[in-house]
């Protein structure tokens, strides 16, 4: 390790984004990734930026909170958002990617960059000198986690995350499943510029639909629910206090919350009509493409911690999956993160040692896009520090700034991971909140918030002495 380079620990989404963002600004960087030397319970490959859960980067519907975060990142020249657009697969109103192609392209971008030195080895302690970004993720090795704990003089927080099953497309019963996007809406894949548009449209009716849908009648749904309730989960250790992230609850946990919880959650049928019957099913299991070849699909929202034998038995009860072969079963793993409000400032720097930045899920964001976002910001701010320039955090009015604001200003005693949402952004003032006909509806409010956020991003960008931001500005 050299103090002549910025050190990035972790080759996941945040670390890869940070390394590419730093190199794009002409600064040498050393990127450490312990795989394949050290494996994790969730990763299956040695590629960088591997997507271990779903392949969705959330909604791409204009004026939604996830869209806003991605649009801000695009305007700031995010390397991984650009790659994601190139690797996109049809997914209704969401941005989903070919999982393998995405990781491959990120790995190639890092490996081919002359300013990035990729070290395939475990770093067991935080470097004692130089600018460092810790983006080791929720599955940080025990040795490095211990080093971070000593550095911060604090304990570790954690929650349990789950992974959805993946099914072989060739084993689906196409006489039962039907193609459809919810409400018949599909957003074209690819970057807005590649589509010749100013921005992502709200969506257009899709004749075939981007999802495969497995319809259930009431009797089938109730039998399925009963089977999930009776299924045997993987045994947990007695000392484990299992805490789940509310936005990614396992299937069996949702089932325990009520007989209709699944039907109003991942199995909701609203906006879907079975073309064979002309009716809306009682419940639906949606399958989303894993890659551009469409040879495998993941079961949307079906993350679980059931024993593999139980999963096969129960999932084959789903209409259309009676003879299905599963390429991956659902799993659960423990995610570790730091108490960011207690430890970090608005620039994601360690308060007690500002040369050290944190990014990704280890600082308490949840979600692919949020992890990439913190990697981008940490990378930009680390370059500022490296060059001896002042660091100016993103404005609170932006999605990026609001995400950092939550990380650094939430209640440390009740701190939990968060996804981007409009309630993280500042509320509209009364004058802005009112339209010509009185109080604005939710779509109008969200549109106003997005307009204000993107305006704030442009104003912030114009104040930065940054060659990448200047270049991305010229491409708007």
């Amino acid at each position: 390790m050299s103090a002549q380079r910025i050190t990035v620990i972790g080759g996941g989404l945040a670390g890869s984004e940070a390394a590419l963002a730093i190199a794009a600004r002409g600064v040498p960087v050393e990127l450490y990734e312990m795989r394949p030397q050290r494996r994790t319970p969730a990763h299956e490959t040695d590629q960088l930026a591997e997507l271990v859960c779903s392949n969705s980067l959330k909604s791409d519907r204009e004026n939604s909170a996830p869209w806003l975060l991605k649009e801000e990142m695009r305007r700031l020249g995010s390397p991984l958002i650009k790659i994601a657009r190139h690797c996109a697969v049809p997914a209704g109103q969401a941005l989903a990617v070919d999982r393998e192609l995405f990781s491959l392209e990120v790995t190639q971008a890092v490996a081919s960059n002359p300013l990035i030195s990729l070290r395939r080895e475990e770093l067991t302690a935080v470097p004692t000198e130089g600018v460092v970004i810790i983006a080791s993720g929720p599955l940080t090795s025990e040795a490095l986690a211990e080093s971070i704990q000593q550095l911060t003089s604090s304990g570790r927080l954690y929650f349990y995350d789950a992974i959805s099953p993946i099914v072989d497309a060739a084993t689906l019963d196409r006489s039962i499943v039907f193609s459809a996007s919810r409400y018949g809406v599909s957003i074209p894949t690819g970057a807005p510029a590649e589509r010749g548009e100013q921005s992502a449209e709200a969506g257009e009716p899709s004749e075939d639909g981007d999802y495969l849908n497995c319809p259930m009648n009431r009797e089938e749904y109730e039998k399925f629910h009963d089977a999930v309730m009776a299924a045997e989960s993987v045994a947990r250790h007695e000392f484990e206090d299992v805490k789940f992230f509310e936005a990614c609850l396992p299937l069996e946990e949702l089932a325990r919350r009520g007989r209709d919880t699944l039907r109003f959650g991942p199995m909701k049928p609203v906006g879907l009509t079975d073309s064979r019957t002309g009716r809306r099913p009682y419940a639906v299991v949606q399958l989303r493409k894993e890659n551009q070849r469409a040879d495998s699909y993941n079961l949307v929202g079906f993350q679980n911690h059931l024993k593999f034998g139980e999963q096969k038995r129960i999932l084959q009860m789903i209409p259309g999956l009676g003879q299905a072969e599963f390429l991956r079963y659902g799993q659960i793993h423990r995610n570790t993160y730091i108490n960011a409000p207690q430890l970090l400032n608005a620039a994601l720097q360690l308060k007690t040692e500002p040369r050290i930045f944190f990014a990704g899920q280890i600082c308490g964001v949840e979600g692919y896009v949020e992890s990439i976002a913190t990697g981008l910001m940490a990378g930009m701010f680390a370059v500022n520090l490296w060059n001896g320039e002042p660091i100016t955090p993103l404005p609170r009015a932006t999605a990026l700034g609001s995400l950092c604001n939550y990380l650094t200003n939430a209640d440390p005693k009740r701190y939990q991971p968060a996804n981007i949402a409009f309630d993280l952004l500042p509320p509209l003032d009364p004058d802005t909140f009112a339209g010509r006909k009185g109080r604005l509806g939710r779509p109008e409010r969200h549109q106003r918030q997005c307009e204000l956020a993107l305006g704030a991003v442009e104003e912030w960008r114009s104040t930065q002495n940054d060659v990448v931001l200047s270049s991305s500005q010229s491409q708007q």
Side-chain angles (χ1 to χ4, degrees):
M1 178 180 46
S2 171
Q4 301 306 310
R5 298 170 178 265
I6 292 177
T7 300
V8 178
I9 307 174
L13 292 168
S16 298
E17 175 80 357
L20 288 167
I22 292 166
R25 290 159 174 80
V27 176
V29 56
E30 200 162 48
L31 174 61
Y32 283 83
E33 170 52 50
M34 69 179 184
R35 292 176 297 120
Q37 183 189 81
R38 283 285 306 274
R39 296 285 182 179
T40 77
H43 292 86
E44 296 184 349
T45 76
D46 62 357
Q47 301 289 341
L48 302 179
E50 180 182 341
L51 305 180
V52 300
C53 294
S54 80
N55 65 329
S56 173
L57 275 67
K58 299 183 184 175
S59 176
D60 218 22
R61 179 173 51 83
E62 191 168 7
N63 295 326
S64 65
W67 171 86
L68 174 61
L69 185 59
K70 290 192 286 285
E71 178 61 15
E72 290 182 4
M73 295 161 66
R74 184 186 72 83
R75 295 187 181 206
L76 298 183
S78 166
L80 264 63
I81 291 298
K82 182 177 181 179
I83 292 173
R85 295 287 181 193
H86 182 255
C87 300
V89 297
Q93 298 186 71
L95 172 61
V97 299
D98 182 317
R99 186 191 303 267
E100 295 177 4
L101 183 60
F102 175 77
S103 296
L104 177 62
E105 291 204 3
V106 173
T107 302
Q108 290 175 340
V110 169
S112 64
N113 194 305
L115 287 174
I116 301 177
S117 174
L118 178 57
R119 304 286 296 272
R120 293 284 193 168
E121 58 186 271
E122 180 185 4
L123 200 60
T124 57
V126 178
T128 57
E129 60 179 5
V131 179
V132 178
I133 297 176
I134 299 175
S136 49
L139 300 175
T140 296
S141 70
E142 190 61 34
L144 181 59
E146 180 65 28
S147 176
I148 293 170
Q149 190 167 344
Q150 292 176 1
L151 176 70
T152 59
S153 301
S154 65
R156 285 174 269 167
L157 304 176
Y158 67 90
F159 68 97
Y160 283 83
D161 203 358
I163 298 174
S164 293
I166 296 174
V167 64
D168 185 340
T171 64
L172 300 174
D173 188 341
R174 301 296 178 126
S175 68
I176 297 177
V177 301
F178 65 94
S179 298
S181 296
R182 207 173 294 279
Y183 299 108
V185 174
S186 178
I187 293 177
T189 58
E194 294 171 357
R195 301 195 300 263
E197 304 169 2
Q198 290 296 315
S199 61
E201 295 298 331
E204 301 174 353
S206 174
E207 182 176 345
D208 295 325
D210 295 336
Y211 292 80
L212 294 181
N213 301 273
C214 305
M216 284 187 179
N217 59 33
R218 181 168 186 162
E219 181 181 0
E220 290 167 332
Y221 171 80
E222 291 184 347
K223 286 182 178 179
F224 177 81
H225 180 272
D226 291 342
V228 173
M229 289 289 291
E232 187 176 0
S233 297
V234 175
R236 298 166 185 157
H237 297 295
E238 292 183 2
F239 59 82
E240 290 182 316
D241 178 16
V242 178
K243 307 171 188 176
F244 292 114
F245 181 57
E246 281 292 321
C248 191
L249 291 171
L251 188 73
E252 61 272 24
E253 179 66 22
L254 285 171
R256 281 193 285 267
R257 296 189 175 190
R259 196 163 188 80
D260 286 325
T261 304
L262 290 173
R263 201 168 66 88
F264 284 88
M267 298 176 68
K268 62 180 179 288
V270 295
L272 295 168
T273 301
D274 188 340
S275 58
R276 297 182 181 88
T277 65
R279 297 192 301 272
R280 186 175 80 180
Y282 187 77
V284 166
V285 177
Q286 286 202 299
L287 311 179
R288 182 174 54 225
K289 291 178 184 176
E290 271 289 297
N291 53 46
Q292 295 175 347
R293 300 186 303 274
D295 59 7
S296 60
Y297 286 77
N298 69 67
L299 280 65
V300 179
F302 265 55
Q303 57 273 4
N304 70 87
H305 194 37
L306 303 178
K307 289 188 173 181
F308 286 178
E310 292 283 71
Q311 288 189 52
K312 181 178 182 180
R313 177 180 64 82
I314 293 171
L315 296 179
Q316 286 184 338
M317 293 175 63
I318 299 170
L321 272 61
Q323 301 299 318
E325 295 182 9
F326 295 92
L327 305 178
R328 182 185 77 184
Y329 287 108
Q331 301 173 49
I332 193 169
H333 54 87
R334 175 168 160 151
N335 286 357
T336 298
Y337 62 103
I338 63 170
N339 195 327
Q342 187 179 71
L343 300 173
L344 304 183
N345 66 19
L348 304 178
Q349 294 169 287
L350 193 60
K351 293 175 182 177
T352 57
E353 201 161 347
R355 68 179 182 86
I356 297 175
F357 297 79
F358 279 82
Q361 284 186 283
I362 195 168
C363 66
V365 293
E366 173 60 18
Y368 295 149
V369 181
E370 291 84 347
S371 293
I372 299 170
T374 54
L376 175 62
M377 288 186 285
M380 292 190 298
F381 298 154
V383 170
N384 289 147
L385 183 62
W386 174 272
N387 290 330
E389 299 168 347
I391 298 176
T392 306
L394 272 293
R396 175 76 169 83
T398 66
L400 288 164
S402 290
L403 194 60
C404 281
N405 179 72
Y406 173 79
L407 293 179
T408 56
N409 288 291
D411 183 351
K413 296 180 180 179
R414 296 178 176 84
Y415 183 53
Q416 292 185 347
N419 295 118
I420 189 62
F422 279 114
D423 60 4
L424 295 187
L425 275 73
L428 295 172
D429 63 57
D431 292 336
T432 306
F433 203 88
R436 283 180 292 180
K437 296 183 180 181
R439 183 182 178 88
L440 293 177
R442 179 179 294 178
E444 291 80 11
R445 294 201 307 272
H446 290 173
Q447 181 179 348
R448 291 281 183 90
Q449 285 181 296
C450 288
E451 290 170 352
L452 291 171
L454 294 177
V457 164
E458 295 300 331
E459 184 177 350
W460 178 86
R461 183 168 62 174
S462 68
T463 67
Q464 302 301 299
N465 180 25
D466 188 308
V467 63
V468 175
L469 299 185
S470 299
S471 173
S472 60
Q473 187 171 24
S474 66
Q475 296 174 13
Q476 294 299 314

